[in-house]
Amino acid sequence: MATTTRRADAQRNIAAILTAAAECLSRNPAASTSEIAKAAGVGRVTLYGHFPSRAELVDAVFVQAIATGEETLGQVDLTGEPRAALARLIESSWQLVDQFRSLLIAAEEALPPGRVRELHADPMARVERLLERGRSEGAFRTDLPTSWLVSIMHNVMHGAASDILAGRISSADAAPYITATLLAAYTPPGERVPD
Amino acid sequence: MATTTRRADAQRNIAAILTAAAECLSRNPAASTSEIAKAAGVGRVTLYGHFPSRAELVDAVFVQAIATGEETLGQVDLTGEPRAALARLIESSWQLVDQFRSLLIAAEEALPPGRVRELHADPMARVERLLERGRSEGAFRTDLPTSWLVSIMHNVMHGAASDILAGRISSADAAPYITATLLAAYTPPGERVPD
Protein backbone atom coordinates (compact mmCIF):
# COMPACT_ATOMS: atom_id res chain seq x y z
CA MET A 1 0.00 0.00 0.00
CA ALA A 2 2.76 2.38 0.96
CA THR A 3 4.49 1.61 -2.35
CA THR A 4 1.30 2.31 -4.29
CA THR A 5 0.89 5.64 -2.50
CA ARG A 6 4.50 6.58 -3.12
CA ARG A 7 4.08 5.71 -6.79
CA ALA A 8 0.89 7.80 -7.03
CA ASP A 9 2.71 10.70 -5.31
CA ALA A 10 5.59 10.39 -7.73
CA GLN A 11 3.27 10.41 -10.74
CA ARG A 12 1.46 13.45 -9.40
CA ASN A 13 4.77 15.24 -8.85
CA ILE A 14 6.03 14.36 -12.33
CA ALA A 15 2.80 15.64 -13.90
CA ALA A 16 2.97 18.86 -11.84
CA ILE A 17 6.62 19.40 -12.78
CA LEU A 18 5.96 18.83 -16.49
CA THR A 19 2.97 21.20 -16.47
CA ALA A 20 4.90 23.88 -14.57
CA ALA A 21 7.95 23.44 -16.82
CA ALA A 22 5.82 23.81 -19.96
CA GLU A 23 4.32 27.02 -18.57
CA CYS A 24 7.60 28.51 -17.31
CA LEU A 25 9.56 27.65 -20.48
CA SER A 26 6.74 29.11 -22.62
CA ARG A 27 7.16 32.42 -20.84
CA ASN A 28 10.95 32.30 -20.70
CA PRO A 29 13.16 29.81 -22.59
CA ALA A 30 15.85 30.35 -19.94
CA ALA A 31 13.57 29.47 -16.98
CA SER A 32 15.59 27.78 -14.23
CA THR A 33 14.84 24.49 -12.50
CA SER A 34 14.36 26.36 -9.17
CA GLU A 35 11.71 28.52 -10.80
CA ILE A 36 10.03 25.43 -12.27
CA ALA A 37 10.15 23.53 -8.95
CA LYS A 38 8.56 26.50 -7.19
CA ALA A 39 5.80 26.79 -9.83
CA ALA A 40 5.16 23.04 -9.51
CA GLY A 41 4.93 23.29 -5.72
CA VAL A 42 7.73 20.74 -5.20
CA GLY A 43 11.21 21.00 -3.74
CA ARG A 44 14.32 21.07 -5.92
CA VAL A 45 15.40 17.71 -4.52
CA THR A 46 12.10 16.17 -5.68
CA LEU A 47 12.50 17.75 -9.13
CA TYR A 48 16.07 16.47 -9.48
CA GLY A 49 14.90 13.05 -8.25
CA HIS A 50 12.70 12.79 -11.33
CA PHE A 51 14.77 14.86 -13.79
CA PRO A 52 18.48 14.68 -12.89
CA SER A 53 19.35 17.61 -15.19
CA ARG A 54 17.60 20.63 -16.68
CA ALA A 55 18.23 19.12 -20.13
CA GLU A 56 16.33 15.95 -19.19
CA LEU A 57 13.40 18.05 -17.99
CA VAL A 58 13.39 20.19 -21.16
CA ASP A 59 13.56 16.99 -23.24
CA ALA A 60 10.55 15.51 -21.41
CA VAL A 61 8.50 18.72 -21.85
CA PHE A 62 9.40 18.78 -25.53
CA VAL A 63 8.41 15.11 -26.00
CA GLN A 64 5.03 15.97 -24.46
CA ALA A 65 4.59 19.03 -26.71
CA ILE A 66 5.33 16.95 -29.81
CA ALA A 67 2.80 14.33 -28.67
CA THR A 68 0.15 17.06 -28.21
CA GLY A 69 1.02 18.44 -31.62
CA GLU A 70 0.73 15.03 -33.23
CA GLU A 71 -2.90 14.78 -32.09
CA THR A 72 -3.67 18.06 -33.87
CA LEU A 73 -1.68 17.25 -37.02
CA GLY A 74 -3.31 13.83 -37.28
CA GLN A 75 -6.62 15.61 -37.91
CA VAL A 76 -5.44 17.71 -40.85
CA ASP A 77 -7.04 16.67 -44.15
CA LEU A 78 -4.11 15.67 -46.36
CA THR A 79 -6.22 14.37 -49.25
CA GLY A 80 -6.96 16.20 -52.49
CA GLU A 81 -4.75 18.63 -54.41
CA PRO A 82 -1.25 18.28 -52.92
CA ARG A 83 -0.43 22.02 -52.80
CA ALA A 84 -3.68 22.80 -50.99
CA ALA A 85 -3.10 19.86 -48.63
CA LEU A 86 0.45 21.10 -47.95
CA ALA A 87 -0.87 24.61 -47.26
CA ARG A 88 -3.26 23.13 -44.66
CA LEU A 89 -0.47 21.10 -43.08
CA ILE A 90 1.85 24.13 -42.98
CA GLU A 91 -0.88 26.24 -41.37
CA SER A 92 -1.51 23.69 -38.60
CA SER A 93 2.19 22.94 -38.11
CA TRP A 94 2.98 26.62 -37.85
CA GLN A 95 0.28 27.17 -35.20
CA LEU A 96 2.04 24.50 -33.13
CA VAL A 97 5.55 25.88 -33.71
CA ASP A 98 4.23 29.35 -32.84
CA GLN A 99 2.47 28.10 -29.69
CA PHE A 100 5.60 26.25 -28.55
CA ARG A 101 8.20 28.65 -29.91
CA SER A 102 9.67 29.65 -26.56
CA LEU A 103 9.93 25.97 -25.61
CA LEU A 104 11.57 25.30 -28.98
CA ILE A 105 14.26 27.89 -28.25
CA ALA A 106 14.74 26.35 -24.78
CA ALA A 107 15.17 22.91 -26.37
CA GLU A 108 17.61 24.18 -29.01
CA GLU A 109 19.68 25.77 -26.23
CA ALA A 110 19.54 22.91 -23.73
CA LEU A 111 19.57 19.74 -25.85
CA PRO A 112 22.48 18.30 -27.85
CA PRO A 113 22.67 19.23 -31.58
CA GLY A 114 20.26 17.13 -33.63
CA ARG A 115 18.02 16.18 -30.70
CA VAL A 116 15.27 18.73 -31.52
CA ARG A 117 15.12 17.40 -35.05
CA GLU A 118 15.15 13.77 -33.83
CA LEU A 119 12.11 14.54 -31.67
CA HIS A 120 10.34 15.81 -34.82
CA ALA A 121 10.54 12.40 -36.51
CA ASP A 122 6.74 11.87 -36.57
CA PRO A 123 5.69 15.29 -37.91
CA MET A 124 8.52 15.13 -40.45
CA ALA A 125 7.42 11.67 -41.62
CA ARG A 126 3.93 13.08 -42.24
CA VAL A 127 5.36 15.92 -44.36
CA GLU A 128 7.49 13.38 -46.23
CA ARG A 129 4.47 11.22 -47.12
CA LEU A 130 2.56 14.21 -48.46
CA LEU A 131 5.57 15.44 -50.46
CA GLU A 132 6.06 11.96 -51.93
CA ARG A 133 2.43 11.86 -53.07
CA GLY A 134 2.71 15.38 -54.51
CA ARG A 135 5.89 14.40 -56.35
CA SER A 136 4.25 11.35 -57.89
CA GLU A 137 1.35 13.57 -59.03
CA GLY A 138 3.67 16.19 -60.55
CA ALA A 139 2.79 18.94 -58.05
CA PHE A 140 6.21 19.09 -56.35
CA ARG A 141 9.74 19.04 -57.74
CA THR A 142 11.55 15.71 -58.07
CA ASP A 143 15.02 17.10 -58.92
CA LEU A 144 15.88 17.37 -55.20
CA PRO A 145 15.54 14.53 -52.64
CA THR A 146 12.34 14.47 -50.57
CA SER A 147 14.44 14.44 -47.38
CA TRP A 148 15.96 17.79 -48.41
CA LEU A 149 12.50 19.26 -49.06
CA VAL A 150 11.45 18.12 -45.58
CA SER A 151 14.58 19.72 -44.07
CA ILE A 152 13.72 23.00 -45.78
CA MET A 153 10.29 23.07 -44.17
CA HIS A 154 11.81 22.31 -40.76
CA ASN A 155 14.48 25.00 -41.14
CA VAL A 156 12.17 27.69 -42.57
CA MET A 157 9.55 27.16 -39.83
CA HIS A 158 12.01 27.07 -36.99
CA GLY A 159 13.82 30.08 -38.44
CA ALA A 160 10.48 31.92 -38.43
CA ALA A 161 10.10 31.13 -34.71
CA SER A 162 13.48 32.84 -34.10
CA ASP A 163 12.43 35.76 -36.33
CA ILE A 164 9.35 36.30 -34.15
CA LEU A 165 11.28 36.05 -30.87
CA ALA A 166 13.76 38.60 -32.25
CA GLY A 167 10.91 40.91 -33.33
CA ARG A 168 11.78 40.69 -37.04
CA ILE A 169 8.33 39.46 -38.13
CA SER A 170 4.93 39.27 -36.47
CA SER A 171 3.30 36.00 -35.58
CA ALA A 172 0.36 36.82 -37.92
CA ASP A 173 2.66 37.36 -40.92
CA ALA A 174 4.62 34.15 -40.44
CA ALA A 175 2.06 31.60 -41.70
CA PRO A 176 1.45 33.25 -45.11
CA TYR A 177 5.20 33.94 -45.53
CA ILE A 178 6.09 30.32 -44.80
CA THR A 179 3.38 28.94 -47.08
CA ALA A 180 4.32 31.24 -49.98
CA THR A 181 8.01 30.41 -49.55
CA LEU A 182 7.63 26.64 -49.37
CA LEU A 183 5.09 26.35 -52.21
CA ALA A 184 7.56 28.26 -54.41
CA ALA A 185 10.57 26.26 -53.20
CA TYR A 186 8.76 22.98 -54.01
CA THR A 187 7.59 24.04 -57.50
CA PRO A 188 9.15 21.90 -60.26
CA PRO A 189 11.74 23.80 -62.37
CA GLY A 190 10.07 25.22 -65.49
CA GLU A 191 6.66 25.37 -63.77
CA ARG A 192 4.96 28.54 -62.50
CA VAL A 193 5.04 29.45 -58.81
CA PRO A 194 1.45 29.39 -57.45
CA ASP A 195 -0.16 32.82 -57.08
CA MET B 1 60.39 48.35 -22.71
CA ALA B 2 59.03 45.67 -20.34
CA THR B 3 55.50 46.88 -21.06
CA THR B 4 56.09 46.71 -24.81
CA THR B 5 57.46 43.18 -24.47
CA ARG B 6 54.54 42.14 -22.32
CA ARG B 7 52.15 43.60 -24.85
CA ALA B 8 53.90 41.80 -27.73
CA ASP B 9 53.78 38.56 -25.72
CA ALA B 10 50.08 39.06 -25.06
CA GLN B 11 49.38 39.67 -28.74
CA ARG B 12 51.37 36.57 -29.72
CA ASN B 13 49.43 34.51 -27.17
CA ILE B 14 46.08 35.83 -28.34
CA ALA B 15 46.97 35.05 -31.95
CA ALA B 16 48.15 31.54 -31.01
CA ILE B 17 44.99 30.90 -28.97
CA LEU B 18 42.69 32.10 -31.78
CA THR B 19 44.52 29.97 -34.38
CA ALA B 20 44.46 26.90 -32.12
CA ALA B 21 40.80 27.47 -31.24
CA ALA B 22 39.85 27.75 -34.91
CA GLU B 23 41.65 24.47 -35.63
CA CYS B 24 40.29 22.59 -32.62
CA LEU B 25 36.69 23.79 -33.08
CA SER B 26 36.85 22.89 -36.78
CA ARG B 27 37.68 19.32 -35.85
CA ASN B 28 35.27 19.14 -32.92
CA PRO B 29 32.59 21.75 -32.10
CA ALA B 30 32.72 20.60 -28.46
CA ALA B 31 36.51 21.16 -28.12
CA SER B 32 37.35 22.25 -24.56
CA THR B 33 39.38 25.27 -23.49
CA SER B 34 42.04 22.93 -21.96
CA GLU B 35 42.43 21.24 -25.34
CA ILE B 36 42.67 24.63 -27.06
CA ALA B 37 45.20 25.98 -24.52
CA LYS B 38 47.34 22.86 -25.04
CA ALA B 39 47.18 23.21 -28.85
CA ALA B 40 48.12 26.89 -28.53
CA GLY B 41 51.09 26.07 -26.27
CA VAL B 42 49.83 28.30 -23.46
CA GLY B 43 48.57 27.57 -19.95
CA ARG B 44 44.87 27.62 -19.08
CA VAL B 45 45.46 30.64 -16.83
CA THR B 46 46.90 32.56 -19.79
CA LEU B 47 43.94 31.53 -21.97
CA TYR B 48 41.42 32.61 -19.33
CA GLY B 49 43.34 35.86 -18.86
CA HIS B 50 42.52 36.76 -22.46
CA PHE B 51 39.17 34.96 -22.83
CA PRO B 52 37.40 34.72 -19.46
CA SER B 53 34.90 32.15 -20.76
CA ARG B 54 34.71 29.53 -23.51
CA ALA B 55 31.82 31.53 -25.03
CA GLU B 56 34.03 34.62 -25.34
CA LEU B 57 36.70 32.58 -27.09
CA VAL B 58 34.19 30.98 -29.48
CA ASP B 59 32.77 34.44 -30.19
CA ALA B 60 36.24 35.82 -31.01
CA VAL B 61 37.02 32.89 -33.34
CA PHE B 62 33.67 33.35 -35.05
CA VAL B 63 34.24 37.10 -35.51
CA GLN B 64 37.56 36.24 -37.17
CA ALA B 65 35.95 33.63 -39.45
CA ILE B 66 33.29 36.12 -40.56
CA ALA B 67 36.02 38.70 -41.29
CA THR B 68 37.92 36.13 -43.40
CA GLY B 69 34.70 35.26 -45.19
CA GLU B 70 33.94 38.90 -45.89
CA GLU B 71 37.22 39.20 -47.81
CA THR B 72 36.16 36.33 -50.08
CA LEU B 73 32.57 37.51 -50.51
CA GLY B 74 33.70 41.04 -51.33
CA GLN B 75 35.30 39.62 -54.49
CA VAL B 76 32.17 37.94 -55.86
CA ASP B 77 30.85 39.62 -59.03
CA LEU B 78 27.34 40.75 -58.12
CA THR B 79 26.69 42.65 -61.34
CA GLY B 80 24.62 41.43 -64.29
CA GLU B 81 21.56 39.20 -64.31
CA PRO B 82 20.36 39.02 -60.65
CA ARG B 83 19.63 35.26 -60.57
CA ALA B 84 23.09 34.44 -61.95
CA ALA B 85 24.67 36.91 -59.50
CA LEU B 86 22.74 35.32 -56.63
CA ALA B 87 23.86 31.84 -57.71
CA ARG B 88 27.51 33.06 -57.58
CA LEU B 89 26.97 34.60 -54.15
CA ILE B 90 25.27 31.43 -52.83
CA GLU B 91 28.15 29.29 -54.17
CA SER B 92 30.81 31.41 -52.42
CA SER B 93 28.78 31.80 -49.24
CA TRP B 94 28.18 28.07 -49.06
CA GLN B 95 31.88 27.29 -49.45
CA LEU B 96 32.46 29.45 -46.38
CA VAL B 97 29.61 27.95 -44.35
CA ASP B 98 30.87 24.49 -45.33
CA GLN B 99 34.47 25.35 -44.41
CA PHE B 100 33.39 26.76 -41.04
CA ARG B 101 30.48 24.41 -40.35
CA SER B 102 31.94 22.79 -37.26
CA LEU B 103 32.74 26.24 -35.85
CA LEU B 104 29.19 27.34 -36.71
CA ILE B 105 27.75 24.47 -34.65
CA ALA B 106 30.15 25.39 -31.80
CA ALA B 107 28.92 29.00 -31.97
CA GLU B 108 25.24 28.01 -32.05
CA GLU B 109 25.82 25.86 -28.97
CA ALA B 110 28.00 28.28 -27.01
CA LEU B 111 26.62 31.73 -27.85
CA PRO B 112 23.31 33.26 -26.76
CA PRO B 113 20.34 32.93 -29.17
CA GLY B 114 20.54 35.51 -31.94
CA ARG B 115 24.29 36.12 -31.58
CA VAL B 116 25.30 33.95 -34.57
CA ARG B 117 22.87 35.82 -36.75
CA GLU B 118 24.03 39.19 -35.34
CA LEU B 119 27.59 38.31 -36.35
CA HIS B 120 26.32 37.69 -39.89
CA ALA B 121 25.18 41.31 -40.29
CA ASP B 122 27.70 42.11 -43.07
CA PRO B 123 27.15 39.04 -45.28
CA MET B 124 23.39 39.39 -44.79
CA ALA B 125 23.50 43.07 -45.81
CA ARG B 126 25.26 42.03 -49.03
CA VAL B 127 22.52 39.48 -49.81
CA GLU B 128 19.90 42.12 -49.03
CA ARG B 129 21.39 44.61 -51.51
CA LEU B 130 21.45 42.03 -54.28
CA LEU B 131 17.88 40.92 -53.54
CA GLU B 132 16.70 44.55 -53.57
CA ARG B 133 18.27 45.10 -56.98
CA GLY B 134 16.76 41.84 -58.28
CA ARG B 135 13.34 42.87 -56.95
CA SER B 136 13.51 46.24 -58.67
CA GLU B 137 14.43 44.46 -61.92
CA GLY B 138 11.56 41.95 -61.60
CA ALA B 139 13.81 38.91 -61.08
CA PHE B 140 12.80 38.23 -57.48
CA ARG B 141 9.42 38.24 -55.74
CA THR B 142 8.20 41.44 -54.06
CA ASP B 143 5.18 39.95 -52.25
CA LEU B 144 7.37 39.03 -49.25
CA PRO B 145 9.70 41.42 -47.37
CA THR B 146 13.37 41.40 -48.42
CA SER B 147 14.33 40.77 -44.77
CA TRP B 148 12.33 37.53 -44.86
CA LEU B 149 14.04 36.42 -48.08
CA VAL B 150 17.41 37.08 -46.42
CA SER B 151 16.34 35.03 -43.37
CA ILE B 152 15.39 32.13 -45.64
CA MET B 153 18.87 32.06 -47.15
CA HIS B 154 20.45 32.14 -43.69
CA ASN B 155 18.20 29.35 -42.39
CA VAL B 156 18.48 27.12 -45.46
CA MET B 157 22.30 27.39 -45.55
CA HIS B 158 22.78 26.83 -41.85
CA GLY B 159 20.29 23.97 -41.94
CA ALA B 160 22.38 22.40 -44.71
CA ALA B 161 25.46 22.61 -42.46
CA SER B 162 23.56 20.59 -39.82
CA ASP B 163 22.37 18.15 -42.52
CA ILE B 164 25.99 17.49 -43.47
CA LEU B 165 27.17 17.07 -39.87
CA ALA B 166 24.30 14.60 -39.33
CA GLY B 167 25.24 12.72 -42.53
CA ARG B 168 21.92 13.47 -44.25
CA ILE B 169 23.48 15.10 -47.32
CA SER B 170 26.97 15.26 -48.76
CA SER B 171 28.98 18.45 -48.87
CA ALA B 172 29.12 18.24 -52.69
CA ASP B 173 25.31 18.03 -53.02
CA ALA B 174 24.61 20.95 -50.73
CA ALA B 175 25.55 23.85 -53.05
CA PRO B 176 23.30 22.83 -55.98
CA TYR B 177 20.45 21.94 -53.58
CA ILE B 178 20.68 25.32 -51.85
CA THR B 179 20.87 27.25 -55.13
CA ALA B 180 17.92 25.37 -56.70
CA THR B 181 15.85 25.85 -53.54
CA LEU B 182 16.51 29.56 -53.09
CA LEU B 183 16.11 30.49 -56.77
CA ALA B 184 12.68 28.79 -56.67
CA ALA B 185 11.74 30.34 -53.33
CA TYR B 186 12.58 33.83 -54.67
CA THR B 187 10.68 33.43 -57.98
CA PRO B 188 7.74 35.87 -58.28
CA PRO B 189 4.31 34.15 -58.02
CA GLY B 190 2.99 33.36 -61.50
CA GLU B 191 6.53 33.20 -62.94
CA ARG B 192 8.39 30.01 -63.91
CA VAL B 193 11.01 28.51 -61.59
CA PRO B 194 14.40 28.61 -63.38
CA ASP B 195 15.50 25.28 -64.87
Side-chain angles (χ1 to χ4, degrees), chain A residues 57-68:
Chain A
L57 176 55
V58 171
D59 199 288
V61 175
F62 204 80
V63 165
Q64 208 175 40
I66 290 280
T68 305

Side-chain angles (χ1 to χ4, degrees), chain B residues 31-47:
Chain B
S32 68
T33 45
S34 329
E35 200 178 326
I36 293 167
K38 203 176 159 191
V42 304
R44 288 187 60 190
V45 172
T46 302
L47 186 145

Side-chain angles (χ1 to χ4, degrees), chain B residues 71-88:
Chain B
E71 283 178 32
T72 304
L73 295 175
Q75 288 162 26
V76 177
D77 175 14
L78 298 183
T79 61
E81 204 284 311
R83 277 169 290 245
L86 182 65
R88 289 192 292 273

Side-chain angles (χ1 to χ4, degrees), chain A residues 12-85:
Chain A
R12 238 192 327 271
N13 282 340
I14 290 172
I17 292 165
L18 286 173
T19 303
E23 283 170 9
C24 292
L25 293 167
S26 294
R27 276 196 304 272
N28 172 19
S32 67
T33 44
S34 328
E35 202 178 326
I36 292 167
K38 203 176 159 190
V42 305
R44 288 186 60 188
V45 172
T46 302
L47 186 146
Y48 279 114
H50 295 299
F51 302 100
S53 70
R54 184 174 179 277
E56 283 168 85
L57 176 55
V58 171
D59 199 288
V61 175
F62 204 80
V63 165
Q64 208 175 40
I66 290 280
T68 305
E70 276 298 285
E71 284 178 34
T72 304
L73 294 175
Q75 287 161 27
V76 177
D77 174 16
L78 297 183
T79 62
E81 204 284 308
R83 278 169 289 246

